[in-house]
Amino acid sequence: RDCAQSLASTDLFAVNDLGCAAGANSLAAARIVAEATSTTSQLQIQMTDLPSNDFGPCMAVFAEAHGELCGLLGGTVFICCAGASFYDAVSPRDSMHLAYSLCSAHWLSRCRSLPNSVFCQFETDKAAVADWRAQAATDWERFVHLRAQELVLGGHLVVVCKAACDAGGGLTCDGVLHDTVEE
């Protein structure tokens, strides 16, 4: 809500869902954004995922909920897809008010094979872990740099990932976007 209110002077509020997959998580986020941006008359939601993603199910989810989203917004909602890696530019410069990745930012731009585990924190080969971490750091820097170019001045980036703690266990991401938008 803070993001929407700080950018309330715009007639079009543009959002980018980075890593939308089939759209199951995307619709819940879109509902939150539509309700929070009800001071604007138009909402554009860009669904971004790899070119190999099947956008059909995602579009079906949004086609079914289009009327509901327009009602929450009190205006017009536009949905579009971009088949691109979020490690490349996915939107024009200064065009997005909010970009979010709800559970995709853990993917690397290049697959780094770990010889003993699928999870870096359980890998025993120190050289493989160092290589994976270096790629992750490079990818993160590129991801943030690209989003900084795409977001309008005052725009917001929300990234939610599951994380592993050194002591074991993990952190969950349920409700983080809702809490962030509500602030």
Side-chain angles (χ1 to χ4, degrees), residues 63-178:
E64 186 174 316
H66 188 260
E68 174 194 357
L69 292 172
C70 289
L72 287 170
L73 179 69
T76 307
V77 177
F78 302 93
I79 308 295
C80 61
C81 295
S85 167
F86 54 54
Y87 293 116
D88 294 322
V90 295
S91 300
R93 286 180 172 269
D94 303 316
S95 65
M96 291 291 153
H97 298 92
L98 173 65
Y100 55 85
S101 178
L102 299 181
C103 54
S104 301
H106 65 284
W107 293 108
L108 298 180
S109 64
R110 286 185 230 126
C111 184
R112 300 288 187 167
S113 180
L114 297 171
N116 304 308
S117 179
V118 295
F119 299 108
C120 183
Q121 69 267 27
F122 301 124
E123 180 55 58
T124 57
D125 183 321
K126 292 183 191 287
V129 170
D131 188 41
W132 188 91
R133 287 185 175 172
Q135 184 65 51
T138 298
D139 284 352
W140 180 246
E141 186 175 322
R142 180 163 176 74
F143 178 89
V144 172
H145 175 75
L146 289 164
R147 301 303 78 83
Q149 292 177 349
E150 295 166 352
L151 288 167
V152 300
L153 184 63
H156 292 260
L157 172 63
V158 177
V159 178
V160 179
C161 283
K162 290 202 177 235
C165 302
D166 288 339
L171 306 173
T172 63
C173 57
D174 298 339
V176 172
L177 180 65
H178 182 269

